[in-house]
Amino acid sequence: MTATIKTADEIDKMRVAGRLTADVLEMIEPFVQIGVTTGELDRICHDYITVQQNAIPAPLDYNGYPKSICTSVNEVICHGIPTDIRKLKKGDIVNVDVTVIKDGYHGDSSIMVEVGEVASHAQRLIQISQECLYKALDIVTPGACLGDIGHVIQTHAEKNYYSVVREYCGHGIGQNFHEDPQVLHYGRKGTGLVLEPGMIFTIEPMINAGRRHTKLNQKDGWTVSTKDGRLSAQWEHTVCVTEDGCEILTARSNEGF
Ligand code: MF3
Ligand code: CO
Ligand code: CO
């Protein structure tokens, strides 16, 4: 497994794409409310990205994907396709995943949003999955390796009796939406690619309340759900390895990094 080292000029462009991605998530979060459809959320994001940001929503037409964002509700793990058919209802948990291309470079990030009042077990899943991401970000520094990232995520999830999805992972990112290396969310300390300054990749743990197994919707070819029908949660950031740690390119203002 390899990873390209981005130049200072490329990192500048990734910083811009990451900022725009974070801006979309901050813009859309207040719209995620009881009664809205995920199709409406998709249109709002599409228009914001194309008109306000003069940028490109990367998912649209990516390998045939039909919409501009992914919206994954409750037992949907990832790649949920926005639809006008169903309205969000009280107690739903929604992952909104946004990828923006600006000046040829990608930013990729996702958040969980609670719709109205949410069951405490669902709130807890959302919180622990965010802690999994933050604990991973904490250890990203030159000399650490990818296995360390997987290990810290898996340990925190399993300590809380949750499971880690295996079939989907984080990824290198730059001029490509998805490039080497694969960033697994499980693994062993001290294994895998050793991190170096200038590497840019996503960390995006998918954490299930029940068992880890997934099923792909054969009709739409995209929607990935938990096999057991229980809840799943995911948070994602794009990060750049620096000389002494990492820079979170998609940091939002409410995160205090
Ligand atoms: N944003 C997702 C990721 O984090 C990928 C979505 S691919 C799409 O890698 F085609 F479904 F948009
Ligand atoms: Co990603
Ligand atoms: Co994403």
Side-chain angles (χ1 to χ4, degrees), residues 22-186:
D23 287 345
V24 176
L25 289 170
E26 290 186 335
M27 179 281 299
I28 199 64
E29 183 169 11
F31 288 95
V32 183
Q33 295 278 355
I34 296 166
V36 76
T37 67
T38 51
E40 287 166 334
L41 299 175
D42 177 71
R43 282 189 291 281
I44 295 166
C45 288
H46 174 91
D47 293 349
Y48 186 81
I49 293 165
T50 57
V51 178
Q52 309 292 319
Q53 298 186 329
N54 193 23
I56 299 168
L60 189 59
D61 295 327
Y62 177 79
N63 292 339
Y65 187 79
K67 297 286 178 180
S68 295
I69 62 171
C70 297
T71 50
S72 301
V73 181
N74 297 337
E75 76 284 0
V76 178
I77 296 168
C78 62
H79 305 168
I81 302 173
T83 168
D84 292 325
I85 291 172
R86 243 194 42 219
K87 290 174 167 26
L88 293 177
K89 61 182 193 305
K90 180 170 92 106
D92 284 342
I93 63 170
V94 187
N95 175 272
V96 180
D97 193 336
V98 168
T99 311
V100 169
I101 309 172
K102 183 71 170 183
D103 206 3
Y105 287 82
H106 292 71
D108 188 10
S109 183
S110 77
I111 59 171
M112 294 300 299
V113 189
E114 301 177 7
V115 180
E117 201 178 313
V118 163
S120 58
H121 67 90
Q123 286 181 28
R124 186 166 171 283
L125 175 66
I126 289 172
Q127 190 191 319
I128 300 295
S129 58
Q130 188 175 38
E131 289 171 7
C132 285
L133 173 59
Y134 286 167
K135 283 174 182 288
L137 295 171
D138 265 350
I139 62 160
V140 174
T141 195
C145 50
L146 288 179
D148 299 345
I149 293 175
H151 177 261
V152 75
I153 292 168
Q154 181 177 14
T155 300
H156 192 58
E158 292 179 354
K159 192 175 77 185
N160 286 282
Y161 306 100
Y162 296 142
S163 64
V164 177
V165 170
R166 301 290 203 273
E167 292 90 339
Y168 303 88
C169 57
H171 49 92
I173 183 168
Q175 288 184 283
N176 304 303
F177 192 164
H178 298 105
E179 60 186 44
D180 277 352
Q182 292 197 76
V183 180
L184 304 184
H185 302 118
Y186 60 95

